[in-house]
Amino acid sequence: MVVYLPDGKALEVEEGATAWDVARAIGPGMAKAAVGALVNGEVYDLLKPLPPGVQVRILRRRTPSTNSSSATPWPTSWPKR
């Protein structure tokens, strides 16, 4: 089946593939940093099978090397009390 990445690129994955499978197809770094997905703009579990033809955006942990708008905005420190 085909799913689409945010840049419009089509990605061929097996029937029943998950967002985790999409992250692994993109690359090992993406799979390691993945914490969730947006599927057609809705929050989606990484392990839930994807329907064909959807747009998939992988949400990642923010680290110093992934400081971009596609990274999930986890706080880097908590306020002191």
Side-chain angles (χ1 to χ4, degrees):
M1 77 177 181
V2 175
V3 298
Y4 297 91
L5 302 179
D7 64 1
K9 179 181 173 187
L11 181 66
E12 184 74 32
V13 293
E14 291 188 25
E15 195 72 31
T18 65
W20 172 253
D21 296 320
V22 172
R24 289 188 334 187
I26 293 169
M30 180 66 78
K32 184 177 180 181
V35 295
L38 290 179
V39 175
N40 288 343
E42 300 289 327
V43 175
Y44 210 81
D45 189 286
L46 279 173
L47 302 178
K48 184 177 176 181
L50 297 167
V54 294
Q55 183 185 54
V56 180
R57 179 177 178 183
I58 304 299
L59 302 176
R60 302 176 289 158
R61 272 190 307 268
R62 180 178 287 218
T63 65
S65 63
T66 61
N67 191 14
S68 71
S69 62
S70 63
T72 304
W74 298 109
T76 56
S77 64
W78 296 98
K80 294 182 180 181
R81 291 185 176 202

mmCIF file of all heavy atoms in Angstrom, residues 21-62:
data_model
loop_
_atom_site.group_PDB
_atom_site.id
_atom_site.type_symbol
_atom_site.label_atom_id
_atom_site.label_comp_id
_atom_site.label_asym_id
_atom_site.label_seq_id
_atom_site.Cartn_x
_atom_site.Cartn_y
_atom_site.Cartn_z
ATOM 1 N N ASP A 21 6.561 1.331 11.299
ATOM 2 C CA ASP A 21 7.150 0.783 10.067
ATOM 3 C C ASP A 21 7.554 1.901 9.113
ATOM 4 O O ASP A 21 8.596 1.827 8.456
ATOM 5 C CB ASP A 21 6.165 -0.168 9.370
ATOM 6 C CG ASP A 21 5.845 -1.388 10.201
ATOM 7 O OD1 ASP A 21 6.765 -1.945 10.839
ATOM 8 O OD2 ASP A 21 4.669 -1.806 10.208
ATOM 9 N N VAL A 22 6.740 2.948 9.044
ATOM 10 C CA VAL A 22 7.072 4.104 8.204
ATOM 11 C C VAL A 22 8.343 4.766 8.726
ATOM 12 O O VAL A 22 9.253 5.089 7.953
ATOM 13 C CB VAL A 22 5.900 5.107 8.146
ATOM 14 C CG1 VAL A 22 6.314 6.399 7.451
ATOM 15 C CG2 VAL A 22 4.695 4.483 7.450
ATOM 16 N N ALA A 23 8.437 4.962 10.039
ATOM 17 C CA ALA A 23 9.636 5.571 10.629
ATOM 18 C C ALA A 23 10.869 4.734 10.312
ATOM 19 O O ALA A 23 11.922 5.278 9.960
ATOM 20 C CB ALA A 23 9.461 5.719 12.143
ATOM 21 N N ARG A 24 10.762 3.410 10.423
ATOM 22 C CA ARG A 24 11.901 2.533 10.105
ATOM 23 C C ARG A 24 12.268 2.615 8.634
ATOM 24 O O ARG A 24 13.449 2.555 8.289
ATOM 25 C CB ARG A 24 11.589 1.095 10.489
ATOM 26 C CG ARG A 24 11.562 0.877 11.969
ATOM 27 C CD ARG A 24 11.441 -0.553 12.364
ATOM 28 N NE ARG A 24 10.787 -1.350 11.318
ATOM 29 C CZ ARG A 24 10.433 -2.599 11.441
ATOM 30 N NH1 ARG A 24 10.648 -3.232 12.558
ATOM 31 N NH2 ARG A 24 9.840 -3.242 10.467
ATOM 32 N N ALA A 25 11.279 2.759 7.761
ATOM 33 C CA ALA A 25 11.557 2.880 6.328
ATOM 34 C C ALA A 25 12.281 4.184 6.017
ATOM 35 O O ALA A 25 13.093 4.245 5.092
ATOM 36 C CB ALA A 25 10.258 2.788 5.527
ATOM 37 N N ILE A 26 11.992 5.226 6.788
ATOM 38 C CA ILE A 26 12.674 6.515 6.597
ATOM 39 C C ILE A 26 14.130 6.397 7.029
ATOM 40 O O ILE A 26 15.023 6.893 6.356
ATOM 41 C CB ILE A 26 11.944 7.630 7.361
ATOM 42 C CG1 ILE A 26 10.565 7.858 6.728
ATOM 43 C CG2 ILE A 26 12.773 8.915 7.377
ATOM 44 C CD1 ILE A 26 9.659 8.753 7.546
ATOM 45 N N GLY A 27 14.368 5.723 8.152
ATOM 46 C CA GLY A 27 15.747 5.533 8.600
ATOM 47 C C GLY A 27 15.816 5.150 10.057
ATOM 48 O O GLY A 27 14.878 5.396 10.827
ATOM 49 N N PRO A 28 16.936 4.568 10.481
ATOM 50 C CA PRO A 28 17.070 4.119 11.862
ATOM 51 C C PRO A 28 17.022 5.256 12.878
ATOM 52 O O PRO A 28 16.510 5.078 13.985
ATOM 53 C CB PRO A 28 18.413 3.393 11.890
ATOM 54 C CG PRO A 28 19.150 3.854 10.685
ATOM 55 C CD PRO A 28 18.114 4.263 9.684
ATOM 56 N N GLY A 29 17.530 6.420 12.526
ATOM 57 C CA GLY A 29 17.481 7.565 13.437
ATOM 58 C C GLY A 29 16.049 8.019 13.689
ATOM 59 O O GLY A 29 15.687 8.364 14.814
ATOM 60 N N MET A 30 15.248 8.015 12.636
ATOM 61 C CA MET A 30 13.842 8.396 12.777
ATOM 62 C C MET A 30 13.110 7.380 13.641
ATOM 63 O O MET A 30 12.339 7.746 14.531
ATOM 64 C CB MET A 30 13.181 8.489 11.404
ATOM 65 C CG MET A 30 11.714 8.871 11.461
ATOM 66 S SD MET A 30 11.410 10.540 12.068
ATOM 67 C CE MET A 30 11.818 11.486 10.620
ATOM 68 N N ALA A 31 13.363 6.102 13.426
ATOM 69 C CA ALA A 31 12.702 5.056 14.210
ATOM 70 C C ALA A 31 13.082 5.159 15.689
ATOM 71 O O ALA A 31 12.236 5.017 16.567
ATOM 72 C CB ALA A 31 13.057 3.681 13.659
ATOM 73 N N LYS A 32 14.347 5.437 15.957
ATOM 74 C CA LYS A 32 14.814 5.535 17.350
ATOM 75 C C LYS A 32 14.190 6.721 18.071
ATOM 76 O O LYS A 32 13.863 6.635 19.253
ATOM 77 C CB LYS A 32 16.337 5.646 17.363
ATOM 78 C CG LYS A 32 16.924 5.657 18.744
ATOM 79 C CD LYS A 32 18.433 5.686 18.691
ATOM 80 C CE LYS A 32 19.013 5.709 20.097
ATOM 81 N NZ LYS A 32 20.459 5.757 20.087
ATOM 82 N N ALA A 33 13.999 7.829 17.366
ATOM 83 C CA ALA A 33 13.478 9.048 17.981
ATOM 84 C C ALA A 33 11.955 9.128 17.978
ATOM 85 O O ALA A 33 11.383 9.984 18.640
ATOM 86 C CB ALA A 33 14.056 10.266 17.262
ATOM 87 N N ALA A 34 11.271 8.235 17.253
ATOM 88 C CA ALA A 34 9.818 8.320 17.099
ATOM 89 C C ALA A 34 9.090 8.110 18.423
ATOM 90 O O ALA A 34 9.398 7.191 19.172
ATOM 91 C CB ALA A 34 9.348 7.285 16.086
ATOM 92 N N VAL A 35 8.117 8.993 18.708
ATOM 93 C CA VAL A 35 7.288 8.869 19.911
ATOM 94 C C VAL A 35 5.801 8.818 19.571
ATOM 95 O O VAL A 35 4.978 8.541 20.436
ATOM 96 C CB VAL A 35 7.551 10.014 20.914
ATOM 97 C CG1 VAL A 35 8.966 9.933 21.457
ATOM 98 C CG2 VAL A 35 7.264 11.366 20.299
ATOM 99 N N GLY A 36 5.452 9.087 18.349
ATOM 100 C CA GLY A 36 4.058 9.083 17.918
ATOM 101 C C GLY A 36 3.983 9.499 16.469
ATOM 102 O O GLY A 36 5.003 9.622 15.793
ATOM 103 N N ALA A 37 2.766 9.707 15.996
ATOM 104 C CA ALA A 37 2.580 10.103 14.604
ATOM 105 C C ALA A 37 1.341 10.972 14.468
ATOM 106 O O ALA A 37 0.424 10.904 15.289
ATOM 107 C CB ALA A 37 2.448 8.872 13.721
ATOM 108 N N LEU A 38 1.336 11.778 13.428
ATOM 109 C CA LEU A 38 0.135 12.465 12.976
ATOM 110 C C LEU A 38 -0.267 11.780 11.682
ATOM 111 O O LEU A 38 0.541 11.686 10.750
ATOM 112 C CB LEU A 38 0.389 13.943 12.724
ATOM 113 C CG LEU A 38 0.647 14.819 13.943
ATOM 114 C CD1 LEU A 38 0.913 16.256 13.498
ATOM 115 C CD2 LEU A 38 -0.535 14.787 14.894
ATOM 116 N N VAL A 39 -1.486 11.292 11.622
ATOM 117 C CA VAL A 39 -2.000 10.635 10.417
ATOM 118 C C VAL A 39 -3.187 11.465 9.960
ATOM 119 O O VAL A 39 -4.177 11.599 10.681
ATOM 120 C CB VAL A 39 -2.391 9.173 10.707
ATOM 121 C CG1 VAL A 39 -3.044 8.543 9.491
ATOM 122 C CG2 VAL A 39 -1.154 8.381 11.107
ATOM 123 N N ASN A 40 -3.041 12.062 8.778
ATOM 124 C CA ASN A 40 -4.042 13.006 8.263
ATOM 125 C C ASN A 40 -4.362 14.083 9.297
ATOM 126 O O ASN A 40 -5.504 14.488 9.470
ATOM 127 C CB ASN A 40 -5.306 12.277 7.818
ATOM 128 C CG ASN A 40 -5.092 11.494 6.547
ATOM 129 O OD1 ASN A 40 -4.136 11.699 5.819
ATOM 130 N ND2 ASN A 40 -5.989 10.573 6.273
ATOM 131 N N GLY A 41 -3.315 14.525 10.020
ATOM 132 C CA GLY A 41 -3.450 15.612 10.982
ATOM 133 C C GLY A 41 -3.953 15.217 12.352
ATOM 134 O O GLY A 41 -4.071 16.071 13.227
ATOM 135 N N GLU A 42 -4.243 13.945 12.572
ATOM 136 C CA GLU A 42 -4.732 13.469 13.864
ATOM 137 C C GLU A 42 -3.646 12.674 14.582
ATOM 138 O O GLU A 42 -2.913 11.917 13.950
ATOM 139 C CB GLU A 42 -5.953 12.557 13.665
ATOM 140 C CG GLU A 42 -7.128 13.226 12.988
ATOM 141 C CD GLU A 42 -7.821 14.251 13.861
ATOM 142 O OE1 GLU A 42 -7.865 14.057 15.089
ATOM 143 O OE2 GLU A 42 -8.302 15.259 13.311
ATOM 144 N N VAL A 43 -3.557 12.809 15.911
ATOM 145 C CA VAL A 43 -2.592 12.041 16.696
ATOM 146 C C VAL A 43 -2.905 10.558 16.524
ATOM 147 O O VAL A 43 -4.066 10.148 16.577
ATOM 148 C CB VAL A 43 -2.650 12.450 18.185
ATOM 149 C CG1 VAL A 43 -1.728 11.574 19.021
ATOM 150 C CG2 VAL A 43 -2.296 13.914 18.345
ATOM 151 N N TYR A 44 -1.861 9.765 16.315
ATOM 152 C CA TYR A 44 -2.028 8.359 15.972
ATOM 153 C C TYR A 44 -0.960 7.538 16.670
ATOM 154 O O TYR A 44 0.202 7.940 16.732
ATOM 155 C CB TYR A 44 -1.865 8.226 14.450
ATOM 156 C CG TYR A 44 -2.632 7.111 13.795
ATOM 157 C CD1 TYR A 44 -3.976 7.241 13.489
ATOM 158 C CD2 TYR A 44 -1.992 5.936 13.451
ATOM 159 C CE1 TYR A 44 -4.662 6.228 12.852
ATOM 160 C CE2 TYR A 44 -2.674 4.912 12.813
ATOM 161 C CZ TYR A 44 -4.014 5.074 12.513
ATOM 162 O OH TYR A 44 -4.695 4.070 11.878
ATOM 163 N N ASP A 45 -1.339 6.400 17.197
ATOM 164 C CA ASP A 45 -0.403 5.507 17.872
ATOM 165 C C ASP A 45 0.593 4.922 16.873
ATOM 166 O O ASP A 45 0.208 4.552 15.754
ATOM 167 C CB ASP A 45 -1.193 4.378 18.543
ATOM 168 C CG ASP A 45 -0.322 3.525 19.446
ATOM 169 O OD1 ASP A 45 0.479 2.730 18.908
ATOM 170 O OD2 ASP A 45 -0.442 3.643 20.666
ATOM 171 N N LEU A 46 1.839 4.814 17.274
ATOM 172 C CA LEU A 46 2.876 4.261 16.395
ATOM 173 C C LEU A 46 2.609 2.821 15.982
ATOM 174 O O LEU A 46 3.061 2.388 14.932
ATOM 175 C CB LEU A 46 4.244 4.303 17.091
ATOM 176 C CG LEU A 46 4.995 5.610 17.075
ATOM 177 C CD1 LEU A 46 6.233 5.504 17.953
ATOM 178 C CD2 LEU A 46 5.375 6.011 15.669
ATOM 179 N N LEU A 47 1.889 2.066 16.808
ATOM 180 C CA LEU A 47 1.715 0.636 16.543
ATOM 181 C C LEU A 47 0.347 0.277 15.969
ATOM 182 O O LEU A 47 0.054 -0.896 15.752
ATOM 183 C CB LEU A 47 1.977 -0.167 17.818
ATOM 184 C CG LEU A 47 3.377 0.047 18.410
ATOM 185 C CD1 LEU A 47 3.537 -0.747 19.693
ATOM 186 C CD2 LEU A 47 4.456 -0.311 17.406
ATOM 187 N N LYS A 48 -0.472 1.256 15.686
ATOM 188 C CA LYS A 48 -1.791 1.017 15.098
ATOM 189 C C LYS A 48 -1.644 0.911 13.575
ATOM 190 O O LYS A 48 -0.995 1.749 12.947
ATOM 191 C CB LYS A 48 -2.723 2.173 15.455
ATOM 192 C CG LYS A 48 -4.142 1.996 14.978
ATOM 193 C CD LYS A 48 -4.992 3.164 15.459
ATOM 194 C CE LYS A 48 -6.394 3.065 14.916
ATOM 195 N NZ LYS A 48 -7.215 4.208 15.347
ATOM 196 N N PRO A 49 -2.234 -0.114 12.953
ATOM 197 C CA PRO A 49 -2.130 -0.248 11.499
ATOM 198 C C PRO A 49 -2.699 0.981 10.776
ATOM 199 O O PRO A 49 -3.710 1.548 11.192
ATOM 200 C CB PRO A 49 -2.966 -1.499 11.192
ATOM 201 C CG PRO A 49 -2.944 -2.279 12.457
ATOM 202 C CD PRO A 49 -2.933 -1.248 13.565
ATOM 203 N N LEU A 50 -2.016 1.361 9.716
ATOM 204 C CA LEU A 50 -2.414 2.530 8.932
ATOM 205 C C LEU A 50 -3.364 2.130 7.804
ATOM 206 O O LEU A 50 -3.168 1.099 7.173
ATOM 207 C CB LEU A 50 -1.186 3.181 8.296
ATOM 208 C CG LEU A 50 -0.139 3.741 9.240
ATOM 209 C CD1 LEU A 50 1.141 4.049 8.483
ATOM 210 C CD2 LEU A 50 -0.675 4.989 9.928
ATOM 211 N N PRO A 51 -4.356 2.970 7.521
ATOM 212 C CA PRO A 51 -5.150 2.737 6.318
ATOM 213 C C PRO A 51 -4.356 3.210 5.095
ATOM 214 O O PRO A 51 -3.472 4.060 5.216
ATOM 215 C CB PRO A 51 -6.399 3.587 6.535
ATOM 216 C CG PRO A 51 -6.099 4.518 7.646
ATOM 217 C CD PRO A 51 -4.888 4.024 8.363
ATOM 218 N N PRO A 52 -4.640 2.673 3.926
ATOM 219 C CA PRO A 52 -3.907 3.094 2.731
ATOM 220 C C PRO A 52 -4.210 4.547 2.351
ATOM 221 O O PRO A 52 -5.291 5.059 2.609
ATOM 222 C CB PRO A 52 -4.397 2.139 1.636
ATOM 223 C CG PRO A 52 -5.498 1.342 2.218
ATOM 224 C CD PRO A 52 -5.589 1.618 3.666
ATOM 225 N N GLY A 53 -3.212 5.198 1.758
ATOM 226 C CA GLY A 53 -3.387 6.522 1.188
ATOM 227 C C GLY A 53 -3.336 7.689 2.154
ATOM 228 O O GLY A 53 -3.596 8.818 1.753
ATOM 229 N N VAL A 54 -2.989 7.448 3.414
ATOM 230 C CA VAL A 54 -2.966 8.531 4.401
ATOM 231 C C VAL A 54 -1.642 9.286 4.362
ATOM 232 O O VAL A 54 -0.638 8.791 3.854
ATOM 233 C CB VAL A 54 -3.215 7.997 5.832
ATOM 234 C CG1 VAL A 54 -4.616 7.444 5.968
ATOM 235 C CG2 VAL A 54 -2.179 6.971 6.228
ATOM 236 N N GLN A 55 -1.659 10.502 4.913
ATOM 237 C CA GLN A 55 -0.421 11.260 5.097
ATOM 238 C C GLN A 55 0.092 10.979 6.504
ATOM 239 O O GLN A 55 -0.678 11.047 7.468
ATOM 240 C CB GLN A 55 -0.636 12.753 4.923
ATOM 241 C CG GLN A 55 0.682 13.518 5.034
ATOM 242 C CD GLN A 55 0.508 15.006 4.988
ATOM 243 O OE1 GLN A 55 -0.256 15.562 5.765
ATOM 244 N NE2 GLN A 55 1.226 15.643 4.078
ATOM 245 N N VAL A 56 1.366 10.634 6.614
ATOM 246 C CA VAL A 56 1.962 10.262 7.897
ATOM 247 C C VAL A 56 3.112 11.210 8.221
ATOM 248 O O VAL A 56 4.019 11.388 7.408
ATOM 249 C CB VAL A 56 2.498 8.809 7.863
ATOM 250 C CG1 VAL A 56 3.106 8.429 9.201
ATOM 251 C CG2 VAL A 56 1.394 7.839 7.474
ATOM 252 N N ARG A 57 3.052 11.796 9.398
ATOM 253 C CA ARG A 57 4.151 12.619 9.912
ATOM 254 C C ARG A 57 4.601 11.993 11.219
ATOM 255 O O ARG A 57 3.804 11.840 12.150
ATOM 256 C CB ARG A 57 3.685 14.050 10.137
ATOM 257 C CG ARG A 57 4.777 14.932 10.693
ATOM 258 C CD ARG A 57 4.298 16.347 10.838
ATOM 259 N NE ARG A 57 5.351 17.144 11.424
ATOM 260 C CZ ARG A 57 5.220 18.413 11.721
ATOM 261 N NH1 ARG A 57 4.090 19.038 11.496
ATOM 262 N NH2 ARG A 57 6.218 19.074 12.252
ATOM 263 N N ILE A 58 5.851 11.631 11.310
ATOM 264 C CA ILE A 58 6.392 11.012 12.513
ATOM 265 C C ILE A 58 6.765 12.103 13.512
ATOM 266 O O ILE A 58 7.434 13.078 13.159
ATOM 267 C CB ILE A 58 7.636 10.152 12.184
ATOM 268 C CG1 ILE A 58 7.298 9.092 11.118
ATOM 269 C CG2 ILE A 58 8.214 9.510 13.444
ATOM 270 C CD1 ILE A 58 6.218 8.114 11.524
ATOM 271 N N LEU A 59 6.324 11.949 14.751
ATOM 272 C CA LEU A 59 6.688 12.871 15.830
ATOM 273 C C LEU A 59 7.880 12.289 16.560
ATOM 274 O O LEU A 59 7.903 11.097 16.863
ATOM 275 C CB LEU A 59 5.510 13.041 16.790
ATOM 276 C CG LEU A 59 4.221 13.558 16.161
ATOM 277 C CD1 LEU A 59 3.109 13.582 17.202
ATOM 278 C CD2 LEU A 59 4.424 14.921 15.554
ATOM 279 N N ARG A 60 8.871 13.136 16.818
ATOM 280 C CA ARG A 60 10.122 12.668 17.421
ATOM 281 C C ARG A 60 10.395 13.350 18.738
ATOM 282 O O ARG A 60 9.913 14.442 18.992
ATOM 283 C CB ARG A 60 11.288 12.977 16.477
ATOM 284 C CG ARG A 60 11.135 12.368 15.115
ATOM 285 C CD ARG A 60 12.252 12.791 14.210
ATOM 286 N NE ARG A 60 12.100 14.209 13.867
ATOM 287 C CZ ARG A 60 13.075 14.978 13.449
ATOM 288 N NH1 ARG A 60 14.295 14.507 13.342
ATOM 289 N NH2 ARG A 60 12.859 16.226 13.147
ATOM 290 N N ARG A 61 11.220 12.669 19.554
ATOM 291 C CA ARG A 61 11.757 13.299 20.767
ATOM 292 C C ARG A 61 12.667 14.431 20.338
ATOM 293 O O ARG A 61 13.383 14.318 19.354
ATOM 294 C CB ARG A 61 12.620 12.292 21.539
ATOM 295 C CG ARG A 61 11.914 11.449 22.506
ATOM 296 C CD ARG A 61 12.930 10.683 23.347
ATOM 297 N NE ARG A 61 13.879 9.965 22.522
ATOM 298 C CZ ARG A 61 13.727 8.707 22.123
ATOM 299 N NH1 ARG A 61 12.662 8.036 22.466
ATOM 300 N NH2 ARG A 61 14.632 8.127 21.377
ATOM 301 N N ARG A 62 12.676 15.479 21.101
ATOM 302 C CA ARG A 62 13.594 16.585 20.817
ATOM 303 C C ARG A 62 14.918 16.300 21.508
ATOM 304 O O ARG A 62 14.964 16.034 22.696
ATOM 305 C CB ARG A 62 13.040 17.894 21.326
ATOM 306 C CG ARG A 62 13.985 19.060 21.030
ATOM 307 C CD ARG A 62 13.399 20.325 21.500
ATOM 308 N NE ARG A 62 12.327 20.650 20.583
ATOM 309 C CZ ARG A 62 12.050 21.872 20.174
ATOM 310 N NH1 ARG A 62 12.737 22.876 20.616
ATOM 311 N NH2 ARG A 62 11.073 22.092 19.347
#
